[in-house]
Amino acid sequence: VSRAGKVVEVPADMRARDVCQLLVYKSHCLDDNSWSLVEHHPLLGLERCLEDHELVVQVQASMTSDSKFLFRKNYAKYEFFRNPLNFFPEQMVSLLTPVCVLVQNFLNSSSCPEVQGFLYLKESGRKSWKRLSMFLRRSGLYYSTKGSSKEPRHLQLLSDLEDSSVFTVTTGRKLHNAPTDYQFCIKPSKVRSECKELRMLCAEDDQSRTCWMTAFRLLKYGILLYQNYKSPQQRKSPVSHFSTPVRSVSENSLVAMDFSGRTGRVIENPLEAQSAAVEEGQTWRKRGHRMNALGSPSLLHPSSLSSVIHRTQLWFHGRIIREESHKMIMQQGQVDGLFLLRDSQSNPKAFVLTLCHHQKIRHFQILPCEEEGQMLFSLDDGSTKFTDLIHLVEFYQLNRGVLPCKLKHPCTAVAL
């Protein structure tokens, strides 16, 4: 992926969302409302997605000469409005009302919940970390000087929310001698490069880190986040109230259909629907011989075309290693159906589908197989075969097959 930059003129009143739309236009990208502007500090090893309403010039004023903005997708930016139950474990949130209306309480100052749990804090100027009981409130992040005591005399303010931002840590755990892989950082807005002012924190698992970071954003920005989520530019179709998890309209409306008769019918039986999906996969692989605009066979032999055509696709990332694929998925938000394809490291003729499901990243090997002199591809041991990887991806975007979920969001890296 090219790392070339793009120069854009940004007026003082231009928000992050507006800059993203400008870059979408200049870079000829598909505007699917998932693009974000990322504040990136390579020397500190920190980055965060700007909120849509933030003024870019104001953020830039607090950045050093080595810092920069990245233009990247973030599918998970507002996922907590759609599926709040996945983001807030009950044991971490002290709240009398049900979890299903939790996000509304974050937005309501009179019934604001408190997030609590243990975090590791890197001690200032030292390599050691201390495990402390912490409490996140609208007034700031506190730690207890005595066990898990919440008495005011035992609570010490670690960081306020008003003049700070929460960042992910892009360097590995070895650099900071971190006790786990789940690091994050609270950085005062006025601080440019003073490491001693950074609050380096470490959670015990990915879900609790996500909870702390999401709660920080909600408590800091409140109703502004919901307005960003609801805005016409952000969501083009109306949705039901955010207190209940929302499935996409397209997913709700997709049903298995049988068009073999004179009129179409909905297939009600799940087993019949599954066999229909397999049969569809078998017929798709017969579309091997591509025709040019004049109707004559393509100059490229079908088998040679099928071995290279996927390289034109945004979801294909060539010879990246497994760790790099993990990093790309993490950067663009761990939502169900986020995927990419890459060359296999272990088998030079095979490929790997990297897929996110339930905030876990899984890998599925796509193996080549020859049939009647033609090269085909399959990820289910030959049960469903395809003439090329584009057909394979198209099929699994419509049918789950052996995968834990359908392919929904291509993980892409744009060259600016």
Side-chain angles (χ1 to χ4, degrees), residues 137 142-143 145 149-157:
R137 301 169 176 172
Y142 299 84
Y143 67 89
T145 57
S149 172
K150 292 166 70 171
E151 289 186 41
R153 63 195 174 101
H154 294 144
L155 291 186
Q156 186 78 36
L157 179 66

Side-chain angles (χ1 to χ4, degrees), residues 52-193:
D52 285 337
H53 66 271
E54 286 189 83
L55 297 176
V56 175
V57 170
Q58 279 187 10
V59 176
Q60 198 271 337
S62 69
M63 295 166 65
T64 58
S65 57
D66 67 283
S67 303
K68 56 189 172 184
F69 289 116
L70 305 177
F71 180 50
R72 193 165 68 206
K73 284 182 180 270
N74 179 10
Y75 293 106
K77 187 187 279 190
Y78 299 115
E79 190 68 14
F80 55 87
F81 282 124
R82 302 179 194 111
N83 298 297
L85 298 179
N86 295 341
F87 282 77
F88 301 102
E90 288 190 52
Q91 69 273 17
M92 288 182 65
V93 184
S94 59
L95 195 64
L96 297 175
T97 51
V99 180
C100 62
V101 291
L102 177 66
V103 178
Q104 285 148 287
N105 285 277
F106 271 113
L107 304 180
N108 184 351
S109 56
S110 63
S111 61
C112 190
E114 176 183 83
V115 176
Q116 59 190 18
F118 283 95
L119 285 172
Y120 294 96
L121 171 67
K122 191 171 191 288
E123 298 189 83
S124 184
R126 301 173 66 184
K127 286 193 173 182
S128 56
W129 294 71
K130 200 170 186 179
R131 188 172 182 267
L132 297 166
S133 179
M134 299 217 182
F135 306 91
L136 182 62
R137 301 169 176 172
R138 195 176 291 280
S139 55
L141 178 64
Y142 299 84
Y143 67 89
S144 178
T145 57
K146 188 176 181 181
S148 301
S149 172
K150 292 166 70 171
E151 289 186 41
R153 63 195 174 101
H154 294 144
L155 291 186
Q156 186 78 36
L157 179 66
L158 183 67
S159 176
D160 69 349
L161 278 63
E162 188 68 31
D163 297 315
S164 302
S165 295
V166 64
F167 285 77
T168 53
V169 180
T170 57
T171 51
R173 60 188 286 191
K174 287 182 181 177
L175 183 68
H176 299 288
N177 197 34
T180 77
D181 290 318
Y182 312 107
Q183 298 176 76
F184 64 104
C185 175
I186 295 174
K187 175 181 173 290
S189 303
K190 63 182 183 296
V191 170
R192 290 195 176 207
S193 58

Side-chain angles (χ1 to χ4, degrees), residues 221-235:
Y221 297 110
I223 198 69
L224 273 172
L225 283 194
Y226 185 53
Q227 289 167 349
N228 290 343
Y229 166 67
K230 253 195 351 177
S231 70
Q233 296 97 322
Q234 189 61 42
R235 294 197 56 83

